[in-house]
Amino acid sequence: MTKIISLPVWFLLPLAVAQGTDWPQWRGPDRSGVSSETGLLQSWPSGGPKLLWEGGAVGEGFSSLAVTGGMIFTMGDKSGKSYLYCLDGKGGATRWSVVVGKSGGNYSGTRCTPTVDGKSVYALGQFGDLVCVDATTGRERWRKNLAGDFGGKSGGWNYSESVLVDGETLVCSPGGDRATALALNKRTGSTVWKTVLPGGGESHYSSWVVSNGGGVKQYVRLFAGGTYGVAASNGKFLWRYDKLGSNTANIPTPIPFGDFVFTAAGYGKGGALLKLSGKAGGVVAEEVYFSRELKNKHGGIVKVGDYLYGDFDDRGMPWCAEAATGRVIWRRDGGGQGNGSACLTYADGRLYVRYQDGIMGLVDASPEGGFRQVGSFKIPDGMKQSWAHPVISDGRLYLRGKDKILCYEVRDPGRAKAPVSATRLWTDDTGNFRVEAMFKGVKQGKILLDKGDGAIMEVPFDRLSEGDRNYLRSLLR
């Protein structure tokens, strides 16, 4: 019989305690756009949730936010330059700012969301200026330029990706025919590997994710030439899915899970599920399905359990589809507030949907009952295109505006956090490990998870995603 003990305080004390659930990079801890937070409002009063504060002179941009360790990081254009900003998490006062590069671009304003890794922050300007700075002081540690140093080609809308930090490696995408994909040492900026992707072309506007599909650790991203996988160890080209290539702009971040990758693009393209299989030391990607009903321009897609949620191209028509088959369960065909491109973040049974016209909507994330908006309000963000993705952290909803950040209280004091005995989704930082299970305790330094089938899984604490580790810490608070 497995001996189960309660989670001891000493097991968690050596680890840095995060404030609630941190959101340290683009689309959250595992780049899925899915938050593990619970105890949040399930509907909003007329006028929306309480605005806690409005602050942060962060200039103009479409960059989203990284929220971690009581600080907020973002980027913005101001006075002819693009900046990386660090703000105080309570009120948005500027702690420091650093010049990244020049301002402007096809659309005026920054695009990248900073990546926070320990004591370092990484940011990419729209003209390829990549910087690493100290998270506390803003002191620059190293700098590269993807166009000048690596012959990169971004595409007409300039560099927009949010760089990936994986272990000791930073992965980014200069594009072009000298270093389409690039890995740098995160501490020094020195080149680890660079790869020319066949037909990859311009970098375009997606961001890297980690997959272990087919038993091979790899990085997956959408380029001008389609969706690609490269070996994490050395950058070796593994596979290409070209049906999304030759497009005006390829933007959405792919979603890896198990041996599968869901990838989509807008401008009339569609969405596809790929199955990855190991073969002769490499990986083969096979199309499971392709559907033009799952096209998505730049609002992003989230996977919640067995279902995908996204916007139909950029029409402000959120949809729900079966991940395994691509069958659309429902799509907004009227009702609710909000128009134009819709970007999505998921938390606690709800989709946080930000529309291009500045309407913030709360939508029931259920495959049953069709599209159901359970709250909305007009964001006083001052933006012509309200495109910056929403962030949920520590019971707060953070929204980027023009030269400001808005922070709303979305914690529900009447709802307790999910009890320890609740079944929930557990993941790792790669997104490859996804298990619906109940937390049962700890044994010899490993987390015990009950899948409900009589078997107890033993998972190392460090393997779990940052969101899951923060959840376990919160049980002791």
Side-chain angles (χ1 to χ4, degrees):
M1 179 180 293
T2 302
K3 183 179 180 181
I4 300 175
I5 59 176
S6 61
L7 191 65
V9 175
W10 56 262
F11 180 70
L12 300 179
L13 283 180
L15 301 159
V17 177
Q19 301 299 311
T21 303
D22 283 356
W23 194 271
Q25 61 177 330
W26 167 243
R27 285 170 57 88
D30 60 0
R31 299 199 152 204
S32 67
V34 173
S35 168
S36 63
E37 292 206 17
T38 57
L40 305 181
L41 292 168
Q42 296 297 284
S43 62
W44 290 339
S46 176
K50 179 181 178 181
L51 176 63
L52 294 178
W53 56 262
E54 178 180 323
V58 294
E60 185 176 9
F62 304 103
S63 303
S64 187
L65 313 169
V67 182
T68 181
M71 296 179 286
I72 300 170
F73 300 87
T74 192
M75 298 183 70
D77 280 1
K78 184 175 285 191
S79 303
K81 298 177 181 178
S82 67
Y83 287 86
L84 167 61
Y85 291 96
C86 174
L87 312 175
D88 188 89
K90 296 180 179 180
T94 301
R95 291 193 178 188
W96 53 257
S97 62
V98 173
V99 174
V100 175
K102 65 180 182 179
S103 64
N106 184 280
Y107 279 87
S108 180
T110 57
R111 293 93 157 105
C112 161
T113 298
T115 299
V116 184
D117 177 68
K119 296 180 180 179
S120 297
V121 186
Y122 304 85
L124 178 65
Q126 55 265 51
F127 296 100
D129 298 289
L130 174 61
V131 298
C132 169
V133 307
D134 184 280
T136 303
T137 66
R139 181 179 63 84
E140 186 176 306
R141 290 179 170 156
W142 56 261
R143 169 184 292 268
K144 299 290 180 180
N145 184 277
L146 300 191
D149 295 331
F150 303 102
K153 296 181 179 179
S154 62
W157 281 288
N158 314 107
Y159 284 104
S160 303
E161 80 170 323
S162 301
V163 299
L164 171 69
V165 175
D166 179 42
E168 293 297 307
T169 303
L170 178 148
V171 189
C172 58
S173 312
D177 56 9
R178 282 177 47 192
T180 326
L182 174 70
L184 304 174
N185 182 292
K186 73 176 184 180
R187 301 186 190 279
T188 66
S190 60
T191 299
V192 176
W193 51 253
K194 55 184 178 180
T195 298
V196 177
L197 297 178
E202 296 171 332
S203 174
H204 274 207
Y205 321 106
S206 183
S207 294
W208 290 103
V209 288
V210 180
S211 169
N212 287 292
V216 177
K217 183 177 180 180
Q218 58 200 278
Y219 302 129
V220 177
R221 187 187 187 275
L222 187 58
F223 286 82
T227 307
Y228 290 78
V230 301
S233 60
N234 57 15
K236 176 186 175 183
F237 166 69
L238 295 175
W239 57 267
R240 175 190 182 189
Y241 180 72
D242 63 5
K243 190 171 284 189
L244 300 181
S246 302
N247 196 18
T248 302
N250 281 338
I251 305 169
T253 300
I255 301 175
F257 57 101
D259 287 328
F260 297 91
V261 171
F262 181 82
T263 182
Y267 297 92
K269 284 290 185 176
L273 182 68
L274 311 178
K275 183 175 182 180
L276 307 182
S277 304
K279 184 176 181 180
V283 176
V284 174
E286 294 181 274
E287 180 187 286
V288 178
Y289 63 77
F290 173 82
S291 172
R292 296 195 184 278
E293 298 301 306
L294 305 182
K295 66 187 77 172
N296 182 263
K297 187 173 283 187
H298 53 64
I301 296 166
V302 297
K303 181 177 181 292
V304 182
D306 295 328
Y307 298 91
L308 298 165
Y309 298 87
D311 182 22
F312 185 63
D313 214 349
D314 63 346
R315 302 184 190 178
M317 299 167 61
W319 49 258
C320 168
E322 289 181 341
T325 67
R327 181 174 71 92
V328 175
I329 306 298
W330 55 254
R331 187 165 70 196
R332 180 192 183 193
D333 56 5
Q337 302 296 312
N339 293 291
S341 184
C343 51
L344 280 65
T345 298
Y346 169 87
D348 197 15
R350 296 291 183 259
L351 299 171
Y352 290 74
V353 184
R354 183 177 186 174
Y355 291 92
Q356 180 172 309
D357 65 355
I359 294 295
M360 187 70 215
L362 189 67
V363 174
D364 184 12
S366 170
E368 301 177 359
F371 174 84
R372 189 170 74 92
Q373 190 178 84
V374 292
S376 67
F377 66 96
K378 176 68 175 179
I379 310 166
D381 58 11
M383 301 180 76
K384 292 181 180 179
Q385 291 99 6
S386 196
W387 289 341
H389 287 224
V391 166
I392 304 294
S393 180
D394 197 23
R396 268 62 168 171
L397 165 64
Y398 295 90
L399 297 171
R400 163 66 183 269
K402 183 177 181 180
D403 204 31
K404 61 183 172 182
I405 306 296
L406 301 109
C407 176
Y408 294 86
E409 175 66 78
V410 292
R411 183 185 290 112
D412 185 350
R415 293 181 66 232
K417 293 183 177 180
V420 176
S421 60
T423 298
R424 62 192 300 278
L425 178 65
W426 300 83
T427 64
D428 65 5
D429 283 330
T430 69
N432 189 54
F433 172 78
R434 300 175 73 85
V435 174
E436 293 278 354
M438 184 185 300
F439 170 66
K440 300 298 291 185
V442 62
K443 175 187 176 184
Q444 297 178 345
K446 293 184 178 180
I447 302 301
L448 303 181
L449 301 178
D450 183 356
K451 295 177 62 177
D453 58 3
I456 300 293
M457 296 182 65
E458 299 184 8
V459 183
F461 181 81
D462 288 341
R463 181 185 177 184
L464 294 172
S465 70
E466 183 67 19
D468 287 339
R469 296 197 297 268
N470 288 340
Y471 169 76
L472 290 171
R473 293 181 182 114
S474 73
L475 299 180
L476 300 176
R477 295 169 65 187

